[in-house]
């Protein structure tokens, strides 16, 4: 498609079509229980409408720290709300789309991300344009999971059968830096919610199954240093 048509469609879409999208959701309580309601996304923010009122919430975009897309039907919103019983830890709202609700579309997710303007967690690995790929093992504290890293001009993606570790990072939004000690090892440091919240970047350590292309690595590292 022509580049201009795409840009125009994008502007129209951000300003118009999704001015108010409503998702039918279940709010999964921690550690048990649930309530059902509607999540209304608009230019102003996100509102969770719920009959019993207890969990009715209205967040401006600035009141949301991050979103975690766990699958095409599950996601959580991290707020700044304190939870006293968890020593003031910020509160997550976990949502699951109801069965008669269409899966969360890519457009809707990008709409949310664009309005947040902050790093997000996206556990759906997608290969956009790929310049380089390498088979890898993601190292856990014990053991790891196997998959493939895909690198493109805008995105870095890790595809694996271990669904909770699959990721797509937008380079200028989520990735801080990359680091390699030797050609069979690569670390990707990302802005993702972790035990230290966002104070510290989260490190994804990979053991590479084939040698890292040093030219590609040098260029990627240089570009990330300059915020690209
Ligand atoms: Zn609830
Ligand atoms: Zn893993």
């Amino acid at each position: 498609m022509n580049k201009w048509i795409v840009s125009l469609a994008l502007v129209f879409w951000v300003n118009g079509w999704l001015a108010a999208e409503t998702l039918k959701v279940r709010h999964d309580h921690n550690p048990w229980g649930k309530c059902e309601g509607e999540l209304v996304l608009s230019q102003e923010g996100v509102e969770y409408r719920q009959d019993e009122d207890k969990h009715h919430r209205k967040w401006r975009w600035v009141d949301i720290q991050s979103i975690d897309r766990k699958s095409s039907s599950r996601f959580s919103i991290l707020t700044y709300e304190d939870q006293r019983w968890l020593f003031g830890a910020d509160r997550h709202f976990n949502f699951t789309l109801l069965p008669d609700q269409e899966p969360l579309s890519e457009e809707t997710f990008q709409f949310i991300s664009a309005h947040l303007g902050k790093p997000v967690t996206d556990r759906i690995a997608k290969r956009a344009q790929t310049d380089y790929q390498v088979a890898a093992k993601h190292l856990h504290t014990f053991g790891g999971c196997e998959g493939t890293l895909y690198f493109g001009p805008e995105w870095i993606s890790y595809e694996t059968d271990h669904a909770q570790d699959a990721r797509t990072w937008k380079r200028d939004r989520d990735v801080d830096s990359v680091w390699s000690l030797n050609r069979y090892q690569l670390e990707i440091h990302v802005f993702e919610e972790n035990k230290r919240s966002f104070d510290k970047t989260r490190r994804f350590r990979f053991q590479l199954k084939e040698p890292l292309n040093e030219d590609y690595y040098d260029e990627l590292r240089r570009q990330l240093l300059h915020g690209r």
Side-chain angles (χ1 to χ4, degrees):
M1 216 193 302
N2 180 303
K3 215 170 165 185
W4 289 106
I5 299 177
V6 175
S7 321
L8 211 69
L10 210 67
V11 168
F12 186 51
W13 151 67
V14 169
N15 293 321
W17 298 346
L18 278 170
E21 175 161 343
T22 304
L23 305 170
K24 286 186 251 169
V25 295
R26 184 181 76 215
H27 170 219
D28 300 303
H29 298 170
N30 183 14
W32 52 75
K34 62 181 164 104
C35 65
E36 281 181 13
E38 284 180 344
L39 208 59
V40 183
L41 311 171
S42 69
Q43 299 295 335
E44 286 72 42
V46 180
E47 182 176 1
Y48 179 52
R49 291 184 187 152
Q50 198 261 340
D51 290 346
E52 290 157 47
D53 223 44
K54 194 171 123 210
H55 291 143
H56 182 262
R57 289 290 188 284
K58 205 168 181 175
W59 301 286
R60 294 169 303 163
W61 288 109
V62 72
D63 300 324
I64 296 175
Q65 289 196 54
S66 196
I67 179 170
D68 182 341
R69 171 157 69 164
K70 297 172 193 288
S71 73
S72 58
S73 61
R74 288 175 54 237
F75 57 94
S76 71
I77 290 176
L78 177 62
T79 67
Y80 290 95
E81 234 178 87
D82 278 347
Q83 286 175 288
R84 263 188 227 135
W85 62 285
L86 282 176
F87 307 103
D90 294 329
R91 181 165 181 177
H92 285 96
F93 280 77
N94 296 307
F95 293 108
T96 303
L97 298 176
L98 293 180
D100 59 340
Q101 172 69 52
E102 297 273 309
L104 193 65
S105 70
E106 190 57 31
E107 286 73 18
T108 304
F109 185 70
Q110 295 309 334
F111 173 86
I112 295 171
S113 157
H115 279 81
L116 272 183
K118 288 178 257 195
V120 301
T121 303
D122 185 2
R123 295 176 205 258
I124 295 187
K126 49 180 176 287
R127 273 178 259 174
Q129 190 191 328
T130 302
D131 296 331
Y132 176 58
Q133 69 182 69
V134 61
K137 178 176 183 178
H138 170 229
L139 302 175
H140 305 167
T141 311
F142 302 104
C145 65
E146 296 180 48
T148 307
L149 281 163
Y150 295 91
F151 298 86
E154 286 184 57
W155 308 87
I156 299 175
S157 209
Y158 176 56
E159 236 178 64
T160 173
D161 292 339
H162 188 58
Q164 73 182 70
D165 286 345
R167 287 291 188 284
T168 295
W169 296 293
K170 192 165 193 282
R171 280 173 42 167
D172 61 1
R173 181 190 65 197
D174 309 319
V175 181
D176 182 37
S177 58
V178 290
W179 177 246
S180 174
L181 270 177
N182 62 59
R183 68 179 85 157
Y184 290 100
Q185 193 262 2
L186 181 69
E187 285 183 7
I188 302 178
H189 298 200
V190 300
F191 298 105
E192 177 175 308
E193 197 201 339
N194 57 65
K195 280 183 196 127
R196 299 274 309 266
S197 197
F198 289 97
D199 295 349
K200 221 179 156 207
T201 52
R202 176 164 174 195
R203 257 187 335 156
F204 279 76
R205 291 163 57 235
F206 295 95
Q207 181 183 354
L208 306 181
K209 297 182 181 179
E210 43 198 337
L212 183 63
N213 177 324
E214 284 172 40
D215 292 340
Y216 186 81
Y217 168 74
D218 288 343
E219 182 62 18
L220 176 64
R221 195 167 155 73
R222 199 184 56 77
Q223 288 180 354
L224 288 172
L225 273 174
H226 294 91
R228 282 193 281 148

